[in-house]
Amino acid sequence: MKVLKTIVWGMSATALLFSCAGSPKAPQLTVSGLDAAKFDTTINNMPVKLYTLKNANGMEVCITNYGGRIVSLCVPDKNGKPTDVVLGFDNIAQYADTINTPSDYGSSVGRYANRIKDGKFTLNEKEYQLKKNDGPNCLHGGGNTGWMHQVYEAEQIGDSILKLTIVGKDGENGFPGKIMAVTTYKITADNVLDMTWEAETEKPTIINQTNHNYYNLSGDFSQPGYDMVLYVNADNFTPSDKLYIPTGEIKSVEGTPMDFRTPHAIGDSIHSDFDQIQNATGYDHNFCLNTFKDGKGDDTQVCASLYSPKTGIFMEMFTNEPGVQVYSGNFQGVGPDAKIARKHGLTYPQHVSVCLESQKYPDSPNHPDWIQPTLNPGEKYYSHAAYKFSIK
């Protein structure tokens, strides 16, 4: 009897072993629902992975070293439910496909965020011609061949810090100078996403980095974000032409739909007949921050905020930069973009999100009276932006 029992047990154990071996392994998902295995690959002979930062208060930020992109950002809503508040894809293939699914979602933009007119600027009496990737202009350092589509070297430090390093070649996309740049993402115990950009160069150049998260604090990416309440601490903005290039003027927001000094829902003014809104089919403008005075930015003061009445999630922004670009997802859900499936299989409608991008003013190298993005050998570039999440 004992022998029979042993044989039966052995057969059962063997059957169980084969059953387990034959079953597909369940993916290990992040809090935001991402499968890290879908980001594990090699691009340009460099390893790409998904890195996860987290704290004890329910905040989780997932980042890929491809383009230094934030893929998800989870914070608790007013009911304690983890809520992903940034747009993006759930796999590396779509991020890396610059033909069918081009995007700047969550990227660490470089070398130069925003636009430079005609892709030209003069530095030390020498004119440089940059890559034109936005009509006649250079946008975000060259777009598909800029840093948002390059692989960074990654170093994760504990649960809360990720350092990403990239070396830009002299002459890449027309920019002068070999440059080493480090983007550091950190989350704190009080649910702050803290970002710094640092760089050094071997010859005079320009640099203006930012993060390009698309925020929808409702967590519902299937609907426009018209009810999100925006505040921008800015008395002035830089008007732009129909190609989004600054005219060179600095105008007051007073009496215009550009006035967010008193917080109000984006939908209140996004369909205004104001020429600047019409030109951009929404907001895509640089605001001159009141937190920047006498050549220095105060990154201890709130420069902008965003709030969702649906989830109660409140985001406050801080930066040492002179400007913030407010972009209301005007090209989302327009034309072929309307059919692209993204995280959780969703397609995005127009105006689904808001970007708040810290920056030097757009086209600043061609406006010498504005704060300049010049970096010389021996100097250190430092840019800082932080986003604090709470419940309101």
Side-chain angles (χ1 to χ4, degrees), residues 231-236 260-261 287-292 301-305 322 324:
Y231 163 74
V232 184
N233 187 2
D235 293 333
N236 300 293
F260 285 94
R261 292 174 297 181
F287 287 77
C288 308
L289 295 173
N290 294 336
T291 52
F292 193 92
Q301 300 296 314
V302 176
C303 68
S305 68
V324 62

Side-chain angles (χ1 to χ4, degrees), residues 360-377:
K360 305 290 191 298
Y361 299 172
D363 196 35
S364 55
N366 294 312
H367 299 273
D369 52 330
W370 292 355
I371 300 296
Q372 289 300 294
T374 307
L375 181 67
N376 293 303

Side-chain angles (χ1 to χ4, degrees), residues 41-48 151:
T41 189
T42 300
I43 297 177
N44 296 331
N45 297 317
M46 293 186 67
V48 174
V151 181

Side-chain angles (χ1 to χ4, degrees), residues 194-210:
D194 189 276
M195 313 180 198
T196 58
W197 296 270
E198 299 170 277
E200 295 183 72
T201 184
E202 293 187 353
K203 62 192 287 190
T205 190
I206 60 172
I207 185 168
N208 181 33
Q209 289 199 259
T210 195

Side-chain angles (χ1 to χ4, degrees), residues 152-191:
Y152 289 67
E153 290 188 7
E155 177 190 5
Q156 183 162 353
I157 305 170
D159 288 337
S160 61
I161 299 174
L162 180 67
K163 285 195 172 186
L164 301 171
T165 302
I166 191 169
V167 177
K169 297 179 181 178
D170 182 19
E172 64 176 0
N173 289 339
F175 289 93
K178 181 181 179 181
I179 190 169
M180 186 179 80
V182 178
T183 299
T184 302
Y185 292 119
K186 178 174 69 174
I187 64 172
T188 67
D190 55 347
N191 285 4

